[in-house]
Amino acid sequence: MPGTADDGTAAAERWFTAAGQDDPYARYRRLREITPVLYDLRLDTFFVLRHRDCAAVLRDPDIRTPDPAWLDVREPGWREHSAAVFLYNSLLRRNPPDHARLRRILRDALPVSPNLESVVDRALDTLAQRGAVGSVVDLQTVVATPVPLTVISDLLGVPQADRRWLASTVDNLVAVLDPLLAPAVRDRADQAADRLGSYFSELIEERSEHPRGDVASTLAAAARIGRLRTGEAHDALLLLFAAGNETTSGLIGNALHAVLRGEHRSADPAALIAETLRWDSPVQLTERVASRTCRIGEVTVPAGADITLVLGSANRDPQRFPAPDRFDPARTDRDALSFGAGPHYCLGAALAQQLAIVLLRRFLARFPKARLAGEATRRPSPTLRGFTSLPVVLDG
Ligand code: HEM
């Protein structure tokens, strides 16, 4: 019998309000204790809160990612929404055997060792200028957001002049990942998908004629020789741009915030980033579907049911991580689920961690006395956890 305790359901609903974004972890803890597998009637989904259950679901071949065939039954009008069409055409929503084919092409298209140091140093120069003479400066908008935007745009081949509007448009698109969408938010996500779809499709066409050695050119070439089907190249480019930016800027902001408010500045930056991923995951939720009736923990989940994995809760599960609410870079058990697990494991995990480590190392070396200065603001999303502003003073 799924948990439907009033307490649990009410708490689940509160996740999806702006107020819930400051500290979702207290709510996760209560839900994990009351009903670790919780059926939510309004959202018609099973929330899974324990680490061992989330890890098992992600690796279970009988549980797949929600795909177009499933959504046709659950929400027949979905094809009228461009944002849903983008998401459900993407790699994230492919199942075997198609998933492996597309994943291999994207994996091979991503370069192994991009140049990170000079991008980081330029952003830190700007930070130093803006934060000179003790003025308050916003670490999120000056460093944590633009650095991944520059690195990923350089890799993909997105021209400089277009990056800013693309980033703010993608910000509207990724709302499609949230479980509850207000109609106005959904409209904005659909408009964003239309604009971005046309933009990336033109970029693929341009690179098809004038290749340059970036990811756009590699994907354009794969489309030309028939390795990618119509539309797949620009969808893939947009997915990489969207999946890479919002998440990595979240990780960098969450790490800077965790480090500046605590006592751990002298810890190894790689350990600080690994602990941030566990303690304050940039991706809190992901979705799956049961292909057949299955057991999750003590609960029977019927075939076709929607499942929401609460990765941010799994990473704070005391049965997996002792004293889970303590930010402790000295931990050695690092089996956090922030990049997922199993067949859809994040394709950008190495890049995101490498970039965040370089940035944190250079930031701490250059601004050892930096401190938080005022209220940091969380982005209002239950799925993507990060900041919209992170005010600091640099010289202590
Ligand atoms: C800290 C930064 C990041 C986090 C926390 C993150 C998290 C995730 C998670 C949780 C998934 C799996 C979703 C699921 O199983 O349903 C995923 C998949 C994916 N990520 Fe990331 N990601 C990050 C950065 C990046 C970057 C930098 C890129 C590329 C430039 C990227 C590209 C992808 C792609 C293409 C997938 C789909 C893989 C598949 O479906 O097979 N991600 N990411």
Side-chain angles (χ1 to χ4, degrees):
M1 182 58 199
T4 50
D6 280 352
D7 246 19
T9 306
E13 291 205 357
R14 283 197 301 272
W15 283 349
F16 304 112
T17 64
Q21 304 321 309
D22 279 347
D23 183 11
Y25 300 111
R27 287 194 178 91
Y28 295 162
R29 188 187 322 119
R30 275 204 303 282
L31 289 180
R32 236 182 5 248
E33 284 163 6
I34 309 168
T35 45
V37 181
L38 166 75
Y39 178 67
D40 185 284
L41 191 62
R42 184 151 77 113
L43 295 169
D44 189 17
T45 192
F46 287 82
F47 284 102
V48 180
L49 291 126
R50 279 192 302 229
H51 185 281
R52 67 157 200 259
D53 296 337
C54 286
V57 165
L58 286 166
R59 296 183 174 104
D60 186 336
D62 288 322
I63 297 181
R64 58 201 164 95
T65 188
D67 58 17
W70 172 80
L71 201 57
D72 281 340
V73 177
R74 184 171 166 107
E75 199 187 324
W78 70 275
R79 285 174 211 272
E80 285 155 31
H81 295 281
S82 308
V85 171
F86 153 68
L87 177 65
Y88 278 80
N89 275 338
S90 81
L91 182 67
L92 272 170
R93 294 293 189 255
R94 302 282 177 115
N95 281 304
D98 210 28
H99 175 254
R101 172 189 65 89
L102 194 56
R103 184 173 165 98
R104 202 171 313 117
I105 296 171
L106 261 73
R107 190 199 55 207
D108 294 349
L110 281 174
V112 216
S113 51
N115 169 24
L116 307 176
E117 281 79 4
S118 62
V119 176
V120 167
D121 286 345
R122 259 183 285 134
L124 295 182
D125 290 344
T126 308
L127 185 72
Q129 275 164 18
R130 303 232 182 127
V133 291
S135 33
V136 176
V137 60
D138 185 349
L139 263 185
Q140 188 64 46
T141 55
V142 180
V143 174
T145 300
V147 165
L149 178 62
T150 304
V151 168
I152 291 163
S153 301
D154 284 352
L155 287 182
L156 300 187
V158 172
Q160 189 94 41
D162 301 326
R163 295 176 182 180
R164 263 173 188 267
W165 79 260
L166 285 171
S168 61
T169 311
V170 160
D171 211 37
N172 292 333
L173 172 67
V174 294
V176 71
L177 295 170
D178 288 342
L180 266 186
L181 286 188
V185 174
R186 193 171 196 179
D187 286 349
R188 268 205 307 277
D190 289 342
Q191 286 156 16
D194 287 336
R195 280 190 83 188
L196 292 162
S198 318
Y199 178 86
F200 282 102
S201 146
E202 279 169 28
L203 188 60
I204 291 288
E205 261 176 50
E206 202 277 327
R207 288 303 198 278
S208 186
E209 284 160 28
H210 309 288
R212 289 208 196 158
D214 46 35
V215 174
S217 305
T218 310
L219 294 174
R224 220 176 27 244
I225 60 168
R227 279 187 82 203
L228 287 173
R229 297 178 194 139
T230 316
E232 280 183 340
H234 73 250
D235 279 348
L237 207 52
L238 173 51
L239 175 67
L240 291 171
F241 189 81
N245 271 307
E246 304 287 328
T247 50
T248 311
S249 69
L251 171 60
I252 294 170
N254 292 352
L256 288 165
H257 184 253
V259 172
L260 293 182
R261 69 196 273 283
E263 311 284 305
H264 303 286
R265 289 175 199 224
S266 55
D268 172 19
L272 289 169
I273 293 301
E275 179 64 347
T276 302
L277 281 161
R278 183 198 68 80
W279 188 74
D280 204 15
S281 175
V283 176
Q284 295 277 311
L285 308 175
T286 194
E287 207 182 339
R288 288 294 184 269
V289 168
S291 301
R292 53 161 185 79
T293 302
C294 59
R295 296 280 292 174
I296 303 179
E298 293 76 42
V299 172
T300 301
V301 174
D306 185 64
I307 301 165
T308 303
L309 303 174
V310 188
L311 306 176
S313 164
N315 290 348
R316 298 268 194 128
D317 183 347
Q319 289 179 13
R320 188 69 184 76
F321 303 102
D325 295 328
R326 204 174 64 220
F327 182 86
D328 178 9
R331 265 173 219 281
T332 48
D333 178 357
R334 296 255 180 243
D335 191 19
L337 296 175
S338 318
F339 291 113
H344 290 273
Y345 183 78
C346 177
L347 275 179
L351 170 64
Q353 289 172 98
Q354 215 185 334
L355 175 56
I357 292 167
V358 168
L359 193 149
L360 197 61
R361 175 171 291 125
R362 287 169 117 82
F363 173 83
L364 290 173
R366 194 156 160 184
F367 307 107
K369 293 186 181 160
R371 63 178 165 79
L372 296 172
E375 198 67 18
T377 316
R378 286 282 179 189
R379 57 181 299 157
S381 160
T383 305
L384 295 177
R385 184 160 172 81
F387 289 97
T388 51
S389 84
L390 191 50
V392 296
V393 178
L394 297 175
D395 60 10

